[in-house]
Each structure stands twice: as C-alpha cells, then as structure tokens.
Amino acid sequence: MDAMRKRIGEVIGIGESQAKRFIKRMTDTGMKVKRAKRYYLNPIYFLNGKHVNDELYWLFRTQLNDVLPKGVQDSYVQRRDGGL
C-alpha cells in the first residue's frame, strides 16, 4: 500500500483494503485523479468557493464544462492560449 493510500485510510478511519476500494471508486466516478504522485479532488464536489484554478479546470474540464457557463470555459482557453 502506498503511503498516501495509507494516510487516506487513517484520516477517514478505514482499513487498508477499504481505502483501496474507496480510492478506486473516487477515481472511477471522476471525483479524483492522480497525477505525478499527487491526488486532485474534483472541485464540483469538494470546492467551497466560486473560483477554480487553471490546473484543476484542465484536470476536470470534462465534468466542469457540464456545469460552467460557456463564457467561463472560454476564459480558461484564452488564458491557456495567452489571450489574457
């Protein structure tokens, strides 16, 4: 078991095998992704605020585009392309 999985299990009070299933379900449902040994949580479910940083937008853009207005989506594209 990797250290992060173990830590997640400890924090939410579940055992090793349950933590593995929990993390898999989170990934399968689009609630989290793992990139470069880091976990990212989908801001649709875990953000307490109005703004999503660019990194989170691009990691979860498929799900976010279902809930964000077109103008907001366009602003992320413009920033990426150097338009702002």
Side-chain angles (χ1 to χ4, degrees):
M1 168 180 256
D2 68 35
M4 183 59 71
R5 188 182 313 147
K6 182 177 180 179
R7 179 70 181 130
I8 289 171
E10 290 171 354
V11 167
I12 61 176
I14 59 177
E16 194 172 314
S17 61
Q18 286 178 306
K20 184 177 180 179
R21 286 192 305 272
F22 172 77
I23 291 168
K24 182 177 181 343
R25 271 189 238 125
M26 295 277 289
T27 302
D28 292 347
T29 59
M31 294 178 79
K32 82 149 192 71
V33 296
K34 184 176 181 182
R35 296 281 189 274
K37 299 183 181 183
R38 295 177 66 186
Y39 289 107
Y40 296 87
L41 298 176
N42 190 326
I44 291 173
Y45 305 104
F46 299 101
L47 179 69
N48 185 14
K50 293 195 277 186
H51 302 285
V52 175
N53 70 32
D54 289 358
E55 183 177 18
L56 284 175
Y57 174 76
W58 291 106
L59 284 170
F60 294 102
R61 72 185 170 278
T62 302
Q63 296 98 331
L64 286 168
N65 284 345
D66 289 340
V67 298
L68 291 175
K70 179 74 168 115
V72 173
Q73 297 171 37
D74 291 345
S75 69
Y76 285 102
V77 173
Q78 288 173 348
R79 280 197 299 276
R80 180 196 61 193
D81 294 343
L84 288 179

